[in-house]
């Protein structure tokens, strides 16, 4: 019962225990929608002592709560001391800009991500969100290239979220090409995932 355990450690103010549970079960909690215990526990850990992986996790939780400024603050702290931006962090930062309609900033964040990141699912998400931003800007050739790379990485990862995103952006490319059959097929595959 990680959510309950995390709530107890948070009430006790035990930063080390909160960090341990967040590292062991935080991703699972966020994926299941139990994000409030994650942000509460992360706040027990002083900001200057909070490791970047905990800040990144808290950023995703804040994003899901719709608190975009809090999410961006966590992501920026997670970037400190990094030369390369992990794909998972880059696509999340880009997505925040993307959702705000700040496409130039979104593209810059996507382009700053490590496309050689060994996390294939994160890399696929980075590529597909980047392709989506290019689609919105009308840069079809770059969108097509990124969408193709996203689909390749997503298939290799086997990750459902990555596959859903990659098929969605592939459907968008097919729509621009006027290929209704491919558009339908990619959207159906996205729904499957």
């Amino acid at each position: 019962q990680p959510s309950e355990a995390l709530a107890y450690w948070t009430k006790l103010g035990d930063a080390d225990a909160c960090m341990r549970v967040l590292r062991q079960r935080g991703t699972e909690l966020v994926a299941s929608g139990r994000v409030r215990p994650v942000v509460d526990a992360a706040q027990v850990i002083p900001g200057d002592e909070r490791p970047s992986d905990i800040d990144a996790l808290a950023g995703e939780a804040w994003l899901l709560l719709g608190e975009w400024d809090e999410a961006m603050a966590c992501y920026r702290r997670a970037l400190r001391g990094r030369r390369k931006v992990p794909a998972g962090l880059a696509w999340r930062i880009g997505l925040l800009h993307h959702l705000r309609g700040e496409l130039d900033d979104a593209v810059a964040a996507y382009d700053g991500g490590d496309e050689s990141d060994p996390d294939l699912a994160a890399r696929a998400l980075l590529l597909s969100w980047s392709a989506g931003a290019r689609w919105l800007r009308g840069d079809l050739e770059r969108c097509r290239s990124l969408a193709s790379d996203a689909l390749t990485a997503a298939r290799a990862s086997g990750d459902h979220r990555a596959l859903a995103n990659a098929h969605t952006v592939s459907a968008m490319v097919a729509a621009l090409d006027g290929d209704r059959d491919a558009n339908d097929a990619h959207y159906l595959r996205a729904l499957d995932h």
Side-chain angles (χ1 to χ4, degrees):
Q1 299 176 334
S3 183
E4 291 80 3
L6 200 52
Y8 287 123
W9 290 123
T10 299
K11 284 181 185 178
L12 290 171
D14 189 326
D16 291 334
C18 285
M19 199 171 343
R20 185 179 68 251
V21 175
L22 287 171
R23 283 188 166 143
Q24 291 172 352
R25 307 294 290 276
T27 301
E28 170 190 327
L29 288 169
V30 169
S32 68
R34 291 177 283 168
V35 294
R36 179 52 67 179
V38 171
V39 296
D40 291 344
Q43 289 178 323
V44 169
I45 306 162
D48 58 336
E49 296 174 21
R50 193 176 309 139
S52 62
D53 61 324
I54 302 297
D55 264 326
L57 179 67
E60 186 166 0
W62 283 117
L63 175 65
L64 292 173
L65 287 170
E67 298 292 340
W68 294 354
D69 291 337
E70 291 291 338
M72 188 62 83
C74 288
Y75 291 149
R76 286 199 172 119
R77 281 192 305 272
L79 286 174
R80 64 182 172 228
R82 294 181 182 266
R83 285 194 312 257
K84 284 189 171 183
V85 180
L89 194 52
W91 77 256
R92 287 174 172 90
I93 292 169
L95 177 60
L96 278 172
H97 289 298
H98 198 135
L99 294 172
R100 289 178 168 164
E102 302 163 352
L103 289 183
D104 290 341
D105 292 332
V107 167
Y110 296 140
D111 287 349
D114 183 3
E115 289 187 26
S116 65
D117 192 315
D119 182 344
L120 289 175
R123 190 167 40 180
L125 287 161
L126 173 64
L127 293 165
S128 60
W129 281 112
S130 184
R134 278 14 189 255
W135 186 86
L136 287 171
R137 293 173 81 179
D139 184 356
L140 181 57
E141 292 313 309
R142 184 72 176 129
C143 174
R144 179 181 283 109
S145 171
L146 289 165
S148 175
D149 292 346
L151 197 52
T152 300
R155 284 178 176 148
S157 77
D159 181 84
H160 289 292
R161 180 168 55 172
L163 284 159
N165 272 31
H167 279 290
T168 298
V169 78
S170 295
M172 293 161 58
V173 170
L176 286 176
D177 289 341
D179 187 344
R180 181 66 185 184
D181 291 337
N183 176 264
D184 287 345
H186 281 295
Y187 275 133
L188 288 173
R189 294 294 296 146
L191 287 171
D192 287 342
H193 292 288

